[in-house]
Every structure is written in C-alpha cells, then in structure tokens.
Amino acid sequence: MKVSFKVNGKSETVSVSADTPLLWVLRDTLGYTGTKFGCGKALCGACTVHLNGRAVRSCQTQIGSIAGQDVTTIEGLGGNHKVQRAWEALDVPQCGYCQPGQMMSASALLSTNKNPSDEDIDAFMSGNICRCGTYPRIRAAIKAAAKMS
Amino acid sequence: MEIIAKNEARRDFLKVSGSAAGGLALAFYLPAARMAQAADGGSPNAWVKIAADNTVTIMVARSEMGQDVYTSMPMLIAEELEVDVNAIKVEFAPPAEVYINSLLGGQLTGGSTAVRDAWEKLRKAGASARMMLVAAAADNWGVDASKCSAANAMIKGPGGKTATYGSVAAKASTMEVPKEVPLKPASQFKVIGNTKQKRLDTAMKVRGTAGFGIDTRIPGMKYAAVVMAPMMGGSLISYDDTRAKNMPGVHSVVQYSRGVAVVAKDYWTAKKAVALLDPQWDAGPNADLDMTGLWSKMEDASNSAGAVFRESGDADQGLAQAAKMITAEYRLPFQSHSPMEPQNTFAHVTADKALIITPTQFQQLVPHVVAGATGLKPEQVEVQTTFLGGGFGRRVEVDYAIDAAEISKASGEPVMMIWSREDDMTHDSYRPGGIYKFTAGVDAKGKLTALKFKSTSPSISSRLFPSIVKDGIDPFALEGIDNFPYLADAGMNFSYVMHDTGVQVGYWRGVSHNLNAVALECFIDELATNAGADPIQYRIDMLDMGSTKHAWSGLSAGVPVGARMKTVLEELRKKANFGKKMPAGKGQGIAVMEGYNSIVGIVAEVSVDESMDVVVDKVTTVVDAGTLIHPDQALAQVQGCINFGQGAGLISEITVKNGIVQQNNFDGYRAVRINETPKVMDVHFIKSDGAPGGLGEPATAVIVPAIANAIHAAVGKRVRTFPALPENVAAG
C-alpha cells in the first residue's frame, strides 16, 4: 500500500506492505540509517524515534498505522540539539550503536520533564539497553542537557 | 612452530606460524598481493598518508567497537608525528601484514592488546614519518635536518623557512626510512595523557552518521534474512520455498551451508518470507542436551585428574599438615555476547572477486574463509571493516561473513545479510560455563599454606586455534589463576580439566579471567572470613612480592605484580572507606586481579532485601594500568567493564534444552539497564609512567567477586552458583 507521512519535516510517500515496521521503512526504503535495529521486539530501544513528538519503538510501529503523522529520527534532531551537545561534551558513546535510540528517548524525556531526577531518568530510560555500559554518562548528559538552553 | 588454525573444518585451513615466547603469538601468512599496501605519493609509511593540501590521514588497524582505538591509536602517532590529532582524518586499515598485532600474531582486535601492541610501534611510526618529512624539507633547503624542527604539520628551517607536511609529503615517501628512531620522554608528552582529549568518533555517533556494518548501502544491493538450525549441531533436511518465492519483493530463496536465506528488496520482506519456509531439521548430536545433563557430566569430569599447569612445593603434604582444610566449589554459567548490532555482512561475490564489508574483529581471517567458501583466492577478496556495534569477542568469529558470501554467491546478488536478534543470540559462540574447585590448607591463624585448584570447562582454543592446545592445556583457559598472586608456602597444585559440553564456546570479554579469577577472589574472601581478618589486609599479607615469573601468563605481562597489587589495595581501602559500618542488609565486598598487565581492585557496596534481590549501590575501583593514553576513555572502559561484568554476575545466563538455546532476546537474556547500574561509580587510576596495561576487559572479572563478597558481608550468604539470582543467593 501507499503511505504518506513526514520524516524530519519532509513529506514522504512509500509503497510497502502495511505491516512493515517503521524501522525498516526508515532504514531500507528511505535511507535513514541512524535509526538502529537491535531486537525487533521493543526490548532494547535502539530503534527509538519520535512519533508526533513522543518516543516510540519504530520496530513495533507499523507503517500502515501512521499515515499523515510526523516522525523525527536522530537525523532530524539536527546535530545541535541540547541532548546531542551534552552527549558530545561528555563523550557518552562507546561503540555508539544504541546511542541514537538513547538520545531520542532522552530528548523525549526532556520535552516533558525539564529537570528530571535520577528516578525519572531511570524510569524513562530503562527501555534503552547499552551493552557498552555508558549509563553513568547518559545520566550525567541528560542532567547537563537539562541545564542547557 | 607451525600450526593450522581451523575456522570451521569444512571451510578453510589457514596456515599460521609463530612462537609462544612471552605469550601467544600466531603469525598469519597472507598472500603477498594482499600484504602490499599501494604506497601513494604521500605515504611515508603504512600508518600515515599526507595529501598535498596538508590533510593528514592516520590508519587505524584495530576494530573500533567502543574501546576508543579510533582515537587512542592516532594519539600515539600524532604525539610523534607532530600533528594536531583533532585535525586528522582516520581510516580503517585493510588486512595487511604491516598491521598485524604482534601480541596476537594476526590482524585481530582482542585480548586488550590494541594499545599495548601499539605503544612503541605507533609512536615510532609517527616519529619515523616526521623524520622523513623533515629530511625531505631539509634536502630541499640544502640544510642539515638537525637544523629543522616540526610542529603542527609544519617544518621550520633556518632563516625562517617553513614548509607544510603536504608540500614535502611526496618527496618524504622516497626518503630513506630512519634506522634509529628516538622517542620523546614521557615528560614531553602533549597528546598522550591529555585529559581533555575528546573522542574523534563522537560527532558521528551522536548524529547517527557513523557507518556500522548494518548501515552499509551499495547501489543495487538486496537484503537477506536467514533461518538456521535452532538446535546446536542441527542440519537442514528440507524446506518448501513455494510461498516465499511468491511473495512480492522476493528475489530468490537460496540454501547455504547452515541454513536457508531469502533475498529480497528489503529486510522486512525477506524476514516475512523466511517465516514461510517450513524448514525441517535433523537435530544432530545435541538433541538431548539440557542443563541437568550438562552440569552432571561436567561434575563427573571435574572428578577426573586434570592437567597440572602450576605447581610448587607439595600441595598434598601441605594440606595434610594444615591446621584446617577449607573447600569450596563454584559454578559459573554460559553467557552470550549479544552486542547491540546483530551480526551482519555485506557481500558481493562474482566470478573473479568478492567485496566483503563487515563489522569484524578479525579482518585478516576474512579473505581466507571467504575464499574457502566461494572458491576464490584470498587475494581476490577485498575486505572493508566498518564501525562495530559492540564486539565483546563475538566478532572474532567470522561465521557471519562466510554466510553472507555464500548467500551472495548462490543468489548472484550483492547482499546485505542481517541476523535477527533471535538468530544472533541462539547462534553465538558462548562464554563457557565451568566448575571451579578449591581445597585450601590454613594454619592456626587462618593463613593460607597450601592450595589445590581445579577448573573444569570447555576449551575455546581447541576449536579456533587447536595447535596451541597441548597436553590437555588450553592456555586461554588458565587466565585469571595462572598468575595467582599470593603465597602458599607448603605447596600449590593447579589443574585444568578440558571438558566439551556440546555448546560451542568462544572468547567473551575477559575470557577466562571471568571464570578463574571470579572463583578465586570469592574463595580468598572465604579464607579471610575464616581467619577473621580484614579481607584487604588478608590479601596484602599474603601477596607474593618476589620475582617469580610465570611460565604461562596468557595475555598478561607474566611478571610479578605483588608490589603494584599492594599499592592498589591500599589505595582502594582509602578510596572506598573499606570497613566502614554498614546498615543491616548492606555490605561491602572487595576483589582484586591482575589481567592484561593491569591491576584492578574493586569494592562493591550492595543492598540485599529479604527476597535476596541484590542492588549494587556503589562501586569504587582503583586501577593501575600504567600510562594512560586517553585518560577519559580509559575511564569509560572501566565503567563499561563494570556494567558488562555486573550482568554476568547478577542476572545473565544462557541455558540449553533439547540442544536449543532457551534465551533468544533481551527478555530471556537480561542485560543491565540504566536503573540497575550503580548510582555511584568511582574510578581512580594509580599515577604511573609504566607501559600501558590493557583496559578493555579486566574489570569485567573483578566486579563479579566484589559483588558476591559484598552479598556475603550484607546477609551472610556465599554465592557459589552464578549468576547471583535470588535463588542462588538464598542457597549460599
């Protein structure tokens, strides 16, 4: 089926089966490879994007269900988002594979909670796995980003 | 010695040679054509390329899987080359002889060796290139090179003369390679040890533009999803591709050595079509394999005589004469690597060549195994290494590159093969489980006098490097205890029982340190408790401060570490405020280890509730890793190791039933999450100008006994079976 939606503000129309996860439409059809495949079951958070400003797991979001809606990927954060600046200032990434998902979750958290506590961060970010163990820096970077304008 | 490394018996044999002097050394032969790096005009050597516009490119010959080789290795070159490390470009090196890791004998990333191998080599490469650039400029000016100096990619000569590196690079590459290459003393380092240095790959990684294997995009490429035998050692009997072939977007369905692949226009189409294949499997030799039988057979094996690998005095007599004997047996589980990026490879195999783009830790092996799988010659196989979305040892294996090559050849398409998480977790080469038995003799005051140790576990090297396995000993199975740092004056007898379980095992971050040293440091804590001693002082008092050099010390230095370990323990006592009064249900535990020529000491503070759930509240770590090249990322490695080890120690386990791995995603196989990571993680480095120690692995092994010992301090339970899930704590 044909589905039209917006990615990072740009209108896109794709012809794929309606059950195709947004993840694979972004990666394979449209070439937004910043969004990562990690588990395919919403268990790891690597594929996190924003749907109408809220964090969703793109591996569990069927393309047929989001016609006309707004998707933001890591590419759409723009590179100068306060979360990206904080991540860069603290050199958060190690292998870096999970970090787009981490930053999409973190930016969604900060959009609704301007000053998250450790508990808020734990609750919101516990769906994003990092096997390299960058969690102490993720916590610090979210707090640093919260202080940025 | 000359040995044959088998990757997989049916596929390829790789001739290797080397010597075992001072550690493992396997030198891999490569066809000459693949060794020669085309030296273009501006390449003083294989590590540095300088363009006429003064662009400096530094080659990184190790795989970047998070451990910072993308920055730390160029820092070593830049220090002597006299260039701004933040202004350079970095490229991943292709397989070539010049890039062989001398500590491993292959172009291979592992064993916490990258910086240790590079420490002198890359500084000399930088210095040599600088000397050639200076010589070229001096020759142009008709002055003596000693009258010239270099800084910031610029050469200065007498009378205010200047020349950029770029302007003399072509000439420099023709200058004589200097024989004597003096290096700066540590006091003159500007790049090495810079605490403000940032990672060179962070900007890409925070923008989603770093190219991992799975991100490879080649015009015309197709996507492949696969189905492989679910049971270990199983094989395909039949499948039905009728429905899959009829799916729109499917290009072909092909059988390959260990399964069936669907090649389609995108991954989701391929994945859906794979589910329609109805494959039938012969379960093979492990059809009845389950954990009860596995551990029962391992227990039986542990009662047989092992191969002795470290012996002094007369341990039996020492035990007979001891005031008291103390025994303990520890059981450690199988683990999966599960890097966040599932295995994948781009392969394009044609009649006379192959292009393989892959996230690998062992790029040098790839041309050989792909040649074996496709009928090409190794020199016809081009390999490009991408960023790795985690490695942890999984990507030392080249199985997935072989699969992709076979699928590309069979389908005739350029193919990006992607494993699902389930494919990945159930087709790993697992961290071996094992049984670790101690019998100690102690005197009336509880001091250790005699010690017998026996480990029983599968051998990793007997599959990957069988020729290094001799007389029942796999050297990599001895890590973490062959370097036993304490004294037992009456005698020691350490032995190893090699025991295959049917589960394929592989090198996992920290390898056997995570087995032997975990058990050892738990047991030492039991001895300290028996003695009624402070566990830090107990360790310090029995450290071997002498000069014994171990016959085999794996990838460790193989040199005495007593003095360094004492310093670490004393510092740790202060930094952790060890021995402070803890509330009920909370405890501190300590463990220490030498691995990869680094000393790591950890104090963990835990809370254990009534249901025996363990929370790690605080971790204090003291590390002596010699000179730190990139201090902030040395810290990051220790933080990461603690996280990885915590998972293995507390929550993660791979089990098998009917030959099938029972955990296939992150619900069954748990990874530590942010809410489980310690709220406080302090890491302190001992100031040192010694040679660098490895940091990518050692702390993984130390956090586990530190946590277990803290659990004992908190609730009096000894964890003898890991992971320390509530039932295993309660049983202690």
Side-chain angles (χ1 to χ4, degrees):
Chain A
M1 70 177 282
K2 276 197 173 182
V3 180
S4 296
F5 64 115
K6 279 190 176 173
V7 182
N8 304 329
K10 187 181 167 208
S11 295
E12 301 278 5
T13 301
V14 296
S15 290
V16 295
S17 65
D19 66 352
T20 307
L22 173 60
L23 167 67
W24 298 111
V25 173
L26 289 171
R27 289 185 54 82
D28 296 358
T29 313
L30 298 174
Y32 292 99
T33 53
T35 302
K36 301 304 186 202
F37 167 53
C39 72
K41 284 189 175 169
L43 295 166
C44 79
C47 68
T48 305
V49 298
H50 296 174
L51 182 65
N52 307 320
R54 292 177 54 192
V56 298
R57 310 299 184 217
S58 64
C59 75
Q60 295 298 306
T61 304
Q62 294 192 352
I63 193 71
S65 71
I66 65 158
Q69 301 187 46
D70 284 329
V71 173
T72 306
T73 68
I74 186 69
E75 291 89 350
L77 275 198
N80 199 35
H81 188 284
K82 59 187 176 183
V83 163
Q84 290 172 305
R85 280 184 278 141
W87 248 246
E88 207 162 347
L90 294 177
D91 260 351
V92 174
Q94 289 185 29
C95 90
Y97 191 80
C98 74
Q99 299 297 341
Q102 301 279 1
M103 286 181 281
M104 295 313 286
S105 287
S107 54
L109 168 63
L110 289 172
S111 71
T112 57
N113 184 338
K114 302 291 179 211
N115 191 21
S117 64
D118 277 343
E119 291 67 30
D120 296 337
I121 292 170
D122 281 1
F124 199 88
M125 301 296 296
S126 63
N128 289 80
I129 296 176
C130 172
R131 289 284 278 166
C132 295
T134 62
Y135 299 128
R137 290 180 193 228
I138 288 174
R139 271 200 199 121
I142 291 174
K143 289 179 180 176
K147 294 194 179 83
M148 293 178 181
S149 52
Chain B
M1 85 180 152
E2 180 162 283
I3 61 179
I4 303 291
K6 275 191 291 190
N7 177 52
E8 284 183 28
R10 66 181 169 78
R11 280 173 164 151
D12 192 46
F13 290 86
L14 178 60
K15 250 187 164 181
V16 297
S17 90
S19 75
L24 181 68
L26 305 167
F28 288 75
Y29 288 128
L30 267 183
R34 295 295 308 160
M35 290 179 185
Q37 265 309 100
D40 56 40
S43 297
N45 58 45
W47 303 95
V48 179
K49 291 195 282 193
I50 299 170
D53 68 358
N54 220 26
T55 305
V56 177
T57 303
I58 289 181
M59 306 301 283
V60 168
R62 299 293 166 263
S63 301
E64 174 58 66
M65 47 194 180
Q67 86 286 35
D68 191 47
V69 291
Y70 195 87
T71 306
S72 59
M73 299 185 81
M75 285 173 76
L76 290 170
I77 292 176
E79 181 70 70
E80 289 287 350
L81 183 59
E82 299 294 350
V83 296
D84 176 0
V85 72
N86 298 304
I88 61 156
K89 287 187 171 174
V90 176
E91 279 181 24
F92 293 123
E97 188 183 25
V98 66
Y99 300 125
I100 282 174
N101 179 336
S102 309
L103 290 172
L104 297 170
Q107 191 173 335
L108 167 62
T109 306
S112 294
T113 56
V115 162
R116 286 187 289 155
D117 171 56
W119 171 236
E120 271 198 25
K121 188 191 290 181
L122 292 196
R123 285 185 295 147
K124 282 191 172 165
S128 175
R130 184 200 70 236
M131 289 164 76
M132 291 162 77
L133 290 157
V134 169
D139 193 60
N140 282 348
W141 295 328
V143 301
D144 194 274
S146 64
K147 305 281 186 242
C148 304
S149 64
N152 204 17
M154 178 84 79
I155 301 145
K156 288 186 180 163
K161 292 188 182 68
T162 62
T164 65
Y165 280 7
S167 68
V168 295
K171 182 182 172 94
S173 66
T174 67
M175 303 301 287
E176 194 179 348
V177 177
K179 288 184 183 67
E180 296 291 321
V181 183
L183 296 174
K184 283 180 194 172
S187 59
Q188 289 175 25
F189 288 162
K190 292 176 293 190
V191 183
I192 293 169
N194 178 3
T195 56
K196 294 196 168 59
Q197 178 65 45
K198 310 298 287 185
R199 286 181 72 118
L200 301 178
D201 55 359
T202 297
M204 282 181 274
K205 287 179 174 177
V206 302
R207 286 166 181 76
T209 56
F212 296 92
I214 203 168
D215 300 329
T216 303
R217 294 294 180 268
I218 302 289
M221 80 177 206
K222 308 295 186 292
Y223 294 81
V226 302
V227 59
M228 298 176 281
M231 58 294 286
M232 291 181 281
S235 55
L236 184 69
I237 298 170
S238 67
Y239 65 99
D240 179 356
D241 62 7
T242 317
R243 287 192 294 160
K245 276 186 167 165
N246 286 334
M247 264 186 67
V250 169
H251 288 263
S252 58
V253 179
V254 298
Q255 189 178 336
Y256 66 108
S257 290
R258 60 172 172 178
V260 187
V262 172
V263 178
K265 70 178 172 71
D266 57 47
Y267 178 72
W268 180 248
T269 302
K271 185 72 196 150
K272 279 208 299 185
V274 152
L276 303 175
L277 291 172
D278 191 26
Q280 304 298 312
W281 307 102
D282 179 338
N286 296 312
D288 300 324
L289 185 65
D290 65 16
M291 296 317 284
T292 310
L294 184 154
W295 285 117
S296 167
K297 284 182 187 164
M298 185 119 60
E299 193 67 50
D300 289 347
S302 75
N303 292 322
S304 60
V308 175
F309 61 86
R310 184 163 170 178
E311 192 169 29
S312 64
D314 185 331
D316 283 316
Q317 194 183 5
L319 290 174
Q321 293 171 351
K324 185 177 175 183
M325 285 219 299
I326 298 171
T327 63
E329 175 177 334
Y330 302 87
R331 187 177 285 191
L332 292 158
F334 292 81
Q335 298 287 354
S336 157
H337 297 84
S338 294
M340 290 312 297
E341 180 191 17
Q343 306 316 322
N344 64 82
T345 291
F346 170 82
H348 190 191
V349 177
T350 56
D352 58 356
K353 64 179 190 214
L355 171 62
I356 307 291
I357 305 176
T358 186
T360 183
Q361 292 177 240
F362 201 172
Q363 42 284 108
Q364 191 189 357
L365 189 54
V366 175
H368 296 271
V369 294
V370 167
T374 59
L376 294 169
K377 297 185 180 73
E379 57 268 31
Q380 293 175 304
V381 181
E382 179 185 350
V383 176
Q384 295 175 14
T385 307
T386 63
F387 279 106
L388 278 58
F392 314 124
R394 176 62 182 87
R395 299 189 217 268
V396 169
E397 309 279 346
V398 292
D399 53 337
Y400 51 97
I402 299 169
D403 293 346
E406 288 189 1
I407 294 165
S408 174
K409 187 183 180 194
S411 66
E413 303 273 11
V415 163
M416 162 57 69
M417 182 203 71
I418 302 172
W419 280 8
S420 67
R421 175 58 58 192
E422 290 79 5
D423 294 331
D424 189 276
M425 201 175 278
T426 57
H427 294 82
D428 198 351
S429 295
Y430 302 90
R431 194 284 294 270
I435 292 172
Y436 304 84
K437 290 179 170 177
F438 295 88
T439 306
V442 298
D443 67 15
K445 289 179 177 167
K447 182 189 168 201
L448 179 68
T449 56
L451 181 63
K452 289 184 84 167
F453 166 78
K454 190 197 287 178
S455 72
T456 305
S457 80
S459 159
I460 301 164
S461 309
S462 32
R463 176 177 58 91
L464 286 166
F465 302 109
S467 299
I468 66 169
V469 178
K470 279 193 215 147
D471 304 324
I473 299 275
D474 171 355
F476 279 101
L478 315 182
E479 292 172 329
I481 189 115
D482 55 354
N483 57 350
F484 181 78
Y486 307 114
L487 295 167
D489 286 338
M492 277 184 244
N493 180 294
F494 296 176
S495 59
Y496 170 60
V497 178
M498 193 182 298
H499 173 70
D500 184 19
T501 64
V503 177
Q504 180 165 306
V505 293
Y507 300 114
W508 188 89
R509 194 179 195 177
V511 192
S512 296
H513 296 90
N514 288 305
L515 305 169
N516 297 313
V518 167
L520 172 63
E521 281 296 296
C522 286
F523 187 63
I524 296 295
D525 208 68
E526 298 204 30
L527 298 182
T529 301
N530 174 72
D534 165 81
I536 287 185
Q537 196 58 44
Y538 186 78
R539 285 171 169 81
I540 289 173
D541 288 346
M542 66 178 186
L543 279 173
D544 180 355
M545 307 299 278
S547 56
T548 312
K549 188 176 193 310
H550 312 308
W552 168 262
S553 289
L555 295 168
S556 296
V559 297
V561 294
R564 291 172 66 199
M565 207 171 255
K566 183 178 181 203
T567 302
V568 165
L569 285 166
E570 287 177 340
E571 189 70 5
L572 184 57
R573 187 206 306 273
K574 282 184 259 172
K575 297 292 186 193
N577 192 12
F578 189 77
K580 70 183 175 187
K581 182 117 178 83
M582 299 289 284
K586 292 181 185 287
Q588 289 181 310
I590 187 259
V592 68
M593 184 191 85
E594 182 274 329
Y596 311 96
N597 195 28
S598 290
I599 316 287
V600 178
I602 294 181
V603 168
E605 296 185 18
V606 305
S607 301
V608 186
D609 68 14
E610 285 170 359
S611 57
M612 297 297 153
D613 262 322
V614 178
V615 173
V616 184
D617 299 314
K618 179 179 177 183
V619 174
T620 307
T621 304
V622 175
V623 182
D624 173 2
T627 301
L628 303 179
I629 312 308
H630 189 182
D632 182 59
Q633 290 303 303
L635 168 65
Q637 280 306 293
V638 175
Q639 291 171 326
C641 283
I642 288 169
N643 180 79
F644 207 74
Q646 181 185 338
L650 274 183
I651 56 176
S652 313
E653 179 173 20
I654 287 292
T655 61
V656 177
K657 189 178 175 188
N658 298 330
I660 300 170
V661 171
Q662 296 297 291
Q663 297 73 26
N664 66 17
N665 213 314
F666 290 115
D667 43 0
Y669 186 76
R670 290 192 49 216
V672 171
R673 292 172 183 269
I674 195 168
N675 55 309
E676 297 164 313
T677 206
K679 287 285 181 290
V680 184
M681 204 188 276
D682 290 334
V683 181
H684 308 272
F685 288 94
I686 302 286
K687 205 169 164 50
S688 166
D689 58 6
L695 280 172
E697 299 174 83
T700 52
V702 187
I703 183 65
V704 181
I707 290 172
N709 297 337
I711 292 170
H712 180 262
V715 292
K717 298 285 189 183
R718 282 288 174 201
V719 181
R720 296 269 181 74
T721 300
F722 289 84
L725 297 166
E727 61 267 30
N728 290 335
V729 176

